[in-house]
Amino acid sequence: IAGITQAPTSQILAAGRRMTLRCTQDMRHNAMYWYRQDLGLGLRLIHYSNTAGTTGKGEVPDGYSVSRANTDDFPLTLASAVPSQTSVYFCASSDTSGGAGDTQYFGPGTRLTVL
Amino acid sequence: GQNIDQPTEMTATEGAIVQINCTYQTSGFNGLFWYQQHAGEAPTFLSYNVLDGLEEKGRFSSFLSRSKGYSYLLLKELQMKDSASYLCAVRDGDYQLIWGAGTKLIIKP
C-alpha cells in the first residue's frame, strides 16, 4: 500500500441498506477526514479524526458515523442509506505537523449510488 | 459565515497564461491551499500560502493577500493536461479546511 486506499471503488445500494466505506492510509498521518463531493457544491466535510481514538462532526454529519480504532483505518458507515447520499466520497489524511505539513492527501474515492 | 468564492468555469488557450481567483471570508486564517482535480479523479495538492506574497513552483504560482482575503493561482504555458478543476481551500484554525466549489478550467488548442 502506498498512500491512501478506499474500498469499494463504486457501489450501487438499495435505500435502507447499511453500508461501510473503507479507508486505509500507510503514511502514519494523525488526522483523517471524510468528504462528499457533489456537482456544483465542492467538497463537504462529513466527519474527521484528529488522532486515533477521537472523532468529530463536520459540515454534513447526519446519516453517517465513523470510528478511529487505530492510526491507519477510518471507516465511514451509512446506517440506513437514502438517495440523497448518492455522491462521490473521498477519504483524506494529513500529518498535523503545522504549516504546509498539514496538507491533506486524498484517496481515489468511492462512487456511491443509492436507489 | 464562512465563504470561499471562485469562478465556476474559465476557458484559456494552449500556451497562454490564466489566473484563477479565490476570495474568502472566514472566521480565522491559518493557510490557503490550491488543489488540482482532473475529472473522475481525487484532488491533488498544488500549493500552500500562509504569508502574503507569491509562491512559485514551476509553471504554477500562487499569490496571497491576507488583508484582502484574496488569492490567485497563475498557470503559465498552458498545456492540454492542465484541463481540470482547481480548488481553493482555507484552513481557518484547526486542521479542517473550508473548500470553494472549484473552477473548471477548459484549455482549447
Side-chain angles (χ1 to χ4, degrees):
Chain A
I1 298 177
I4 303 180
T5 59
Q6 293 184 235
T9 302
S10 65
Q11 182 76 45
I12 299 174
L13 190 65
R17 298 297 296 268
R18 180 184 180 90
M19 175 75 191
T20 295
L21 308 185
R22 300 185 298 279
C23 175
T24 299
Q25 54 106 356
D26 66 354
M27 298 178 283
R28 308 303 294 172
H29 283 172
N30 290 329
M32 298 187 74
Y33 314 86
W34 273 106
Y35 293 95
R36 59 178 291 173
Q37 188 174 39
D38 303 289
L39 196 63
L41 294 179
L43 288 162
R44 292 185 291 168
L45 183 65
I46 304 171
H47 285 287
Y48 65 92
S49 168
N50 287 338
T51 189
T54 69
T55 62
K57 294 182 180 180
E59 180 185 355
V60 288
D62 295 342
Y64 306 94
S65 64
V66 291
S67 62
R68 186 89 184 277
N70 56 61
T71 298
D72 299 344
D73 301 300
F74 191 42
L76 176 74
T77 297
L78 290 67
S80 179
V82 295
S84 63
Q85 292 177 311
T86 294
S87 187
V88 180
Y89 291 85
F90 288 105
C91 179
S93 70
S94 66
D95 73 3
T96 67
S97 60
D102 290 351
T103 298
Q104 293 186 14
Y105 295 92
F106 286 78
T110 294
R111 188 174 299 273
L112 182 67
T113 302
V114 182
L115 301 176
Chain B
Q2 316 267 55
N3 194 49
I4 297 183
D5 288 317
Q6 307 177 233
T8 302
E9 186 174 298
M10 300 181 69
T11 302
T13 303
E14 188 177 17
I17 299 173
V18 70
Q19 178 176 310
I20 302 174
N21 295 326
C22 170
T23 58
Y24 62 89
Q25 291 176 308
T26 56
S27 55
F29 181 83
N30 197 17
L32 185 144
F33 295 80
W34 283 96
Y35 281 76
Q36 180 189 59
Q37 185 177 24
H38 285 102
E41 298 183 7
T44 56
F45 170 72
L46 283 178
S47 68
Y48 170 76
N49 295 72
V50 67
L51 300 176
D52 290 352
L54 189 68
E55 293 282 342
E56 297 187 80
K57 199 184 283 188
R59 294 189 298 114
F60 293 6
S61 302
S62 56
F63 172 83
L64 175 67
S65 169
R66 288 173 298 172
S67 62
K68 295 182 179 179
Y70 168 70
S71 173
Y72 67 72
L73 181 69
L74 192 71
L75 291 73
K76 304 175 185 176
E77 302 170 14
L78 286 170
Q79 302 175 10
M80 297 304 294
K81 67 178 182 180
D82 297 330
S83 291
S85 289
Y86 292 86
L87 314 179
C88 173
V90 171
R91 186 170 60 219
D92 73 340
D94 207 338
Y95 306 119
Q96 293 81 45
L97 298 179
I98 303 164
W99 294 83
T103 299
K104 182 178 181 180
L105 178 63
I106 300 168
I107 310 296
K108 295 186 175 180

